Amino acid sequence: MIKNKSIAVLPFVNLSNNIDNEYFCDGLTEEIIYALAKIKDLVVTSRTSSFYFKNKKVTANEIREKLRVATFIEGSVRASKKRMRITVQMIDTLEDFHFWSETFDRNPDDIFEIQDEISLFIAEKLREHVGHIEIEDKLVEPIDVPVNIYREYLKGRYYLMKLDYDSSLKAIEIFKSIIKKSPKFANPYLDINQAYTFMGTMGLLPAFEAFQKAQPFFEKAMSLNPNSSRVQLNLSWIECWQNWNLKKAFEHANKALEIQQADDIYLTISNFLTVEGKLDAARNYLDKALQLDPYAAINHHYKGFLYYLQEDYSTAIPFLKKALELDPMLPFPPIYIGICLLMSGKPNEALTYFGSLEGVSVKDLTKLGGKTMCYAKLNETEKCNDGLKELETYLTTPLVDKAFTFLILVNALLGNNEKVVDLVTQAYHSRLPLILLLNPSPILKPVKNHKGFKEIMLKAIPDNVNYKQKKKYKQALLDTNEIKKYSKELEQIMIDYKLYLNPDLSLKDLASYLELPANYVSQLLNLGFQKNFSEYVNSYRVNEFKERVLLEEYKGLTLMAVAYDSGFNSKTVFNTFFKKIEGTTPNSYLRSNQAN
């Protein structure tokens, strides 16, 4: 089902024979996407999927079918030294008609005002067309840098988003030059961090070297703008993958989500839930990421990866192949395409697949590790031992993480459980991030209950559902002890994960966190709290609103803006529940507490 309040912004077309104007067009498109994403009850397609259609002729029906949006924006920019003409039009994808078009003739030096003006125009016209949405007075905050430096920054972003090695290095050069001229401009630090992290993740640089280079730039960005969504998202990654503190990781990720809905934030939360073994909940969040960015290769890869973890190999492979179709250089899908073939009883087909790999997947040990796994499954002992010896040579190189991963998986397939535990223990003491993804691996099921393996997993991931007693569900209602037990567990989950801040939270989402069927959770809410789902979740949102509305940082916002930040997505629902719970209106509550 396509939401009525959903929109995509296609890349603005450059009508000038000037490459600098191309940078501006892409930058303007990005800024409008980012600005509209701040509107809480609006679904905005992310950058990757919007830019998939750059320089392509598409119909309204194609946009509706491929991006699943009710409305989209297209525009063009023609610029000279003194004037800039920007044409913007809004199209209804169902009826295929242009219900709004506007031309802006502006001074090119007024770049921040242009971005804000156009974003607000789009939001206002969209509200007229689809119904009420709460819009702030300003959607684009001006950046305190000269216009010529900001234009240079857009050039850096242009190269950064090409997502290849040479362009990433060029972007880093540009950003470093900007930092020398404007050292208090936070964005270039974050973008250098992103460039190095990308190259390390994709295997274009040794991961350790790349992350080490990225770290000082991130720390500087954090000191300049600690409350940006991108900073909070990076902090969540650090807490998970470096510090192994999932509680703090969730806190930072949820804070990022409060600031802005974005597919990479939903994907990140899905990652964390996967680490804990909460695969149903992880898939719910991943589906939200795919809704916002259906052309992001990493989102399709992760959907396939989740099906792989649930041992649904035939369903996993098409998602993994789609990821490679969207980004042939993405290093992760080939690993799991081959393993899915191997684990579904096709070792020879898997061996042929791994043997045919070229490019990134060869450099990152996927070909070597994959073939060695196949030899283990095919009982080709000599070739398997040769592969193991070669993998061991990489334990003192930047590819140590991948080498450990394949050594662990191969030994698990051979049934060498003691060797697996020894390798896992070494990886744990070296604080290698791979430890966190061993938890849900189907290949490691035979070693899961080994005392040494279990101890390591519970040290790394205390809230580990793989080591909770399996629940057997019965037809009758939950008994008194179960209601008490699950009520406490649910309250702790609401506190730790702040699920109520997600305006699209469903009963199914809540159930996936408890690892219970949805009908059990519905019974639990009724019997344990005497509330239905809406009453239960909105009571948390009301309490959140009461706390926020009295804080100094929220004094400049409208009551509804605070309500949206607290998880509500409807003015009527907010007012109704607030009065029902508090016995007074939000305005009266605020006046009474301000007086005190």
Side-chain angles (χ1 to χ4, degrees), residues 130-379:
V130 302
H132 179 70
I133 51 177
E134 191 76 16
I135 303 170
E136 296 178 16
D137 294 336
K138 205 165 192 59
L139 291 176
V140 178
E141 292 295 334
I143 298 169
D144 188 20
V145 295
V147 169
N148 64 314
I149 289 180
Y150 183 72
R151 285 185 174 277
E152 190 69 7
Y153 169 70
L154 293 181
K155 181 178 179 181
R157 286 288 302 174
Y158 175 84
Y159 284 106
L160 177 68
M161 298 315 294
K162 283 182 175 288
L163 300 179
D164 63 63
Y165 179 75
D166 291 335
S167 296
S168 296
L169 291 182
K170 186 159 187 168
I172 288 169
E173 267 183 49
I174 292 169
F175 294 137
K176 284 182 175 178
S177 170
I178 292 169
I179 286 168
K180 286 180 182 177
K181 299 168 191 170
S182 293
K184 292 186 178 180
F185 184 17
N187 289 14
Y189 295 100
L190 275 173
D191 288 315
I192 292 174
N193 171 71
Q194 181 180 335
Y196 280 128
T197 302
F198 162 75
M199 289 192 286
T201 305
M202 295 295 113
L204 302 175
L205 274 181
F208 178 76
E209 177 191 334
F211 300 153
Q212 197 173 39
K213 286 181 173 179
Q215 188 63 22
F217 292 99
F218 174 68
E219 287 176 356
K220 182 63 177 178
M222 186 168 58
S223 71
L224 291 169
N225 190 5
N227 292 319
S228 84
S229 63
R230 291 175 66 194
V231 165
Q232 290 299 318
L233 187 58
N234 273 270
L235 283 171
S236 74
W237 295 336
I238 289 168
E239 289 296 350
C240 177
W241 302 110
Q242 293 181 29
N243 299 340
W244 296 1
N245 188 329
L246 280 162
K247 184 174 181 181
K248 284 191 175 179
F250 276 111
E251 285 176 8
H252 287 297
N254 280 314
K255 190 166 183 181
L257 198 59
E258 285 180 57
I259 298 166
Q260 179 192 16
Q261 284 193 69
D263 72 293
D264 54 350
I265 304 174
Y266 284 120
L267 174 63
T268 296
I269 295 174
S270 182
N271 294 164
F272 300 162
L273 291 165
T274 303
V275 166
E276 291 183 330
K278 297 171 181 173
L279 301 183
D280 288 336
R283 202 154 77 197
N284 287 340
Y285 273 88
L286 195 274
D287 285 341
K288 291 173 172 50
L290 271 167
Q291 181 187 22
L292 292 174
D293 212 342
Y295 282 84
I298 191 65
N299 290 345
H300 286 274
H301 160 73
Y302 209 76
K303 182 97 176 214
F305 177 65
L306 288 173
Y307 278 117
Y308 153 73
L309 292 179
Q310 293 178 312
E311 301 177 61
D312 188 351
Y313 304 121
S314 60
T315 305
I317 289 174
F319 285 101
L320 297 166
K321 287 183 174 178
K322 178 66 175 177
L324 280 181
E325 180 188 318
L326 291 168
D327 183 359
M329 299 302 289
L330 195 64
F332 316 116
I335 301 171
Y336 296 103
I337 291 173
I339 292 179
C340 283
L341 292 170
L342 185 67
M343 297 300 287
S344 55
K346 301 173 183 175
N348 286 303
E349 195 174 330
L351 181 61
T352 301
Y353 176 79
F354 280 123
S356 69
L357 293 177
E358 296 176 358
V360 173
S361 53
V362 175
K363 294 176 189 174
D364 73 359
L365 302 188
T366 298
K367 185 172 188 174
L368 171 61
K371 288 173 70 176
T372 307
M373 290 175 68
C374 293
Y375 293 137
K377 200 78 169 171
L378 289 164
N379 296 316

Side-chain angles (χ1 to χ4, degrees), residues 274-553:
T274 303
V275 166
E276 291 183 330
K278 297 171 181 173
L279 301 183
D280 288 336
R283 202 154 77 197
N284 287 340
Y285 273 88
L286 195 274
D287 285 341
K288 291 173 172 50
L290 271 167
Q291 181 187 22
L292 292 174
D293 212 342
Y295 282 84
I298 191 65
N299 290 345
H300 286 274
H301 160 73
Y302 209 76
K303 182 97 176 214
F305 177 65
L306 288 173
Y307 278 117
Y308 153 73
L309 292 179
Q310 293 178 312
E311 301 177 61
D312 188 351
Y313 304 121
S314 60
T315 305
I317 289 174
F319 285 101
L320 297 166
K321 287 183 174 178
K322 178 66 175 177
L324 280 181
E325 180 188 318
L326 291 168
D327 183 359
M329 299 302 289
L330 195 64
F332 316 116
I335 301 171
Y336 296 103
I337 291 173
I339 292 179
C340 283
L341 292 170
L342 185 67
M343 297 300 287
S344 55
K346 301 173 183 175
N348 286 303
E349 195 174 330
L351 181 61
T352 301
Y353 176 79
F354 280 123
S356 69
L357 293 177
E358 296 176 358
V360 173
S361 53
V362 175
K363 294 176 189 174
D364 73 359
L365 302 188
T366 298
K367 185 172 188 174
L368 171 61
K371 288 173 70 176
T372 307
M373 290 175 68
C374 293
Y375 293 137
K377 200 78 169 171
L378 289 164
N379 296 316
E380 295 194 26
T381 307
E382 188 175 338
K383 289 181 179 179
C384 181
N385 287 336
D386 288 343
L388 286 169
K389 286 176 186 174
E390 189 174 349
L391 284 167
E392 286 172 356
T393 66
Y394 288 95
L395 291 176
T396 54
T397 73
L399 291 172
V400 57
D401 207 303
K402 272 284 171 63
F404 259 116
T405 299
F406 283 117
L407 285 167
I408 289 166
L409 295 178
V410 172
N411 278 285
L413 290 170
L414 290 169
N416 298 336
N417 289 356
E418 295 300 328
K419 181 65 174 175
V420 170
V421 174
D422 179 53
L423 288 165
V424 169
T425 303
Q426 290 180 54
Y428 173 80
H429 289 303
S430 299
R431 301 289 290 184
L432 297 181
L434 71 93
I435 286 291
L436 302 185
L437 285 176
L438 295 178
N439 177 34
S441 171
I443 294 176
L444 294 176
K445 282 173 75 175
V447 75
K448 173 185 154 186
N449 288 317
H450 186 291
K451 184 184 176 190
F453 185 82
K454 185 175 178 179
E455 284 176 358
I456 292 291
M457 288 297 104
L458 285 170
K459 279 182 188 176
I461 314 154
D463 188 12
N464 190 329
V465 301
N466 284 324
Y467 297 108
K468 290 180 181 177
Q469 188 175 358
K470 289 285 181 184
K471 305 174 181 72
K472 292 184 178 179
Y473 304 122
K474 52 189 183 297
Q475 294 300 315
L477 297 176
L478 297 167
D479 64 34
T480 306
N481 289 332
E482 287 173 324
I483 290 169
K484 186 180 286 189
K485 174 192 170 188
Y486 288 126
S487 293
K488 284 183 179 178
E489 194 173 329
L490 181 57
E491 286 184 318
Q492 193 60 50
I493 285 170
M494 294 297 279
I495 292 167
D496 288 348
Y497 295 95
K498 293 186 180 290
L499 299 182
Y500 51 87
L501 294 178
N502 174 11
D504 296 320
L505 184 70
S506 67
L507 180 63
K508 182 183 174 186
D509 292 331
L510 210 58
S512 64
Y513 276 84
L514 275 172
E515 298 284 313
L516 283 171
N519 63 325
Y520 272 56
V521 178
S522 180
Q523 293 168 1
L524 173 66
L525 294 175
N526 280 281
L527 295 172
F529 299 94
Q530 290 75 53
K531 293 175 182 174
N532 61 33
F533 171 75
S534 293
E535 290 168 338
Y536 179 73
V537 174
N538 284 321
S539 65
Y540 278 94
R541 290 170 177 157
V542 166
N543 287 335
E544 185 76 14
F545 170 86
K546 286 163 59 184
E547 286 182 17
R548 290 184 186 227
V549 78
L550 299 175
L551 296 175
E552 190 67 34
E553 63 192 278

